[in-house]
Amino acid sequence: QVQLVESGGGLVQAGGSLRLSCAASGRTFSTNAMGWFRQAPGKEREFVARITWSGTGTYYADSVKGRFTISRDNAKNTVYLQMNSLKFEDTAVYYCAATSLRGLVITTGPYNYWGQGTQVTVSS
């Protein structure tokens, strides 16, 4: 089992920044990549960004490319999502997730483990 705990969400004005953290514990060696997803009220959960534990593979949704940066600290088993130039439409619950699959995975199904989510609210 892998446990994931997100933190860092909050209320921020449009144009501001937040950094989300996802601390992983348990059998993290069984996972290949970590992803960030988000879900706004009334909408489906959508892919935001992904990074492999080796750090060689990052990928972003078009909607956040150039504004968000995903990174990881293997020593701390922690993945981060730096969010800059936040927009009202970035408001959502943000979830981190882990998958054991290799290759680019940007749908929710293949992610085996999920955190509880952290709320990000951007005021316009």
Side-chain angles (χ1 to χ4, degrees):
Q1 292 288 338
V2 175
Q3 294 78 41
L4 304 173
V5 179
E6 302 100 334
S7 61
L11 173 65
V12 64
Q13 287 189 330
S17 299
L18 280 176
R19 188 177 81 155
L20 305 183
S21 299
C22 175
S25 60
R27 297 171 59 89
T28 57
F29 57 84
S30 67
T31 61
N32 180 62
M34 300 288 292
W36 284 97
F37 290 77
R38 65 187 182 186
Q39 188 165 18
K43 295 187 177 182
E44 293 192 355
R45 195 168 297 188
E46 65 174 4
F47 170 80
V48 175
R50 160 274 203 182
I51 188 168
T52 58
W53 277 116
S54 67
T56 57
T58 58
Y59 188 81
Y60 299 89
D62 287 343
S63 58
V64 306
K65 201 173 295 183
R67 300 187 297 122
F68 290 11
T69 302
I70 190 170
S71 62
R72 89 281 179 265
D73 184 336
N74 287 349
K76 296 182 178 179
N77 274 348
T78 300
V79 175
Y80 304 97
L81 185 68
Q82 177 67 43
M83 305 186 295
N84 298 329
S85 302
L86 282 162
K87 304 176 182 180
F88 175 76
E89 50 265 39
D90 294 320
T91 296
V93 177
Y94 282 70
Y95 299 89
C96 71
T99 179
S100 57
L101 293 186
R102 298 190 178 275
L104 181 60
V105 182
I106 61 171
T107 55
T108 58
Y111 283 82
N112 314 83
Y113 305 100
W114 292 84
Q116 81 288 353
T118 185
Q119 177 70 47
V120 171
T121 303
V122 183
S123 62
S124 57

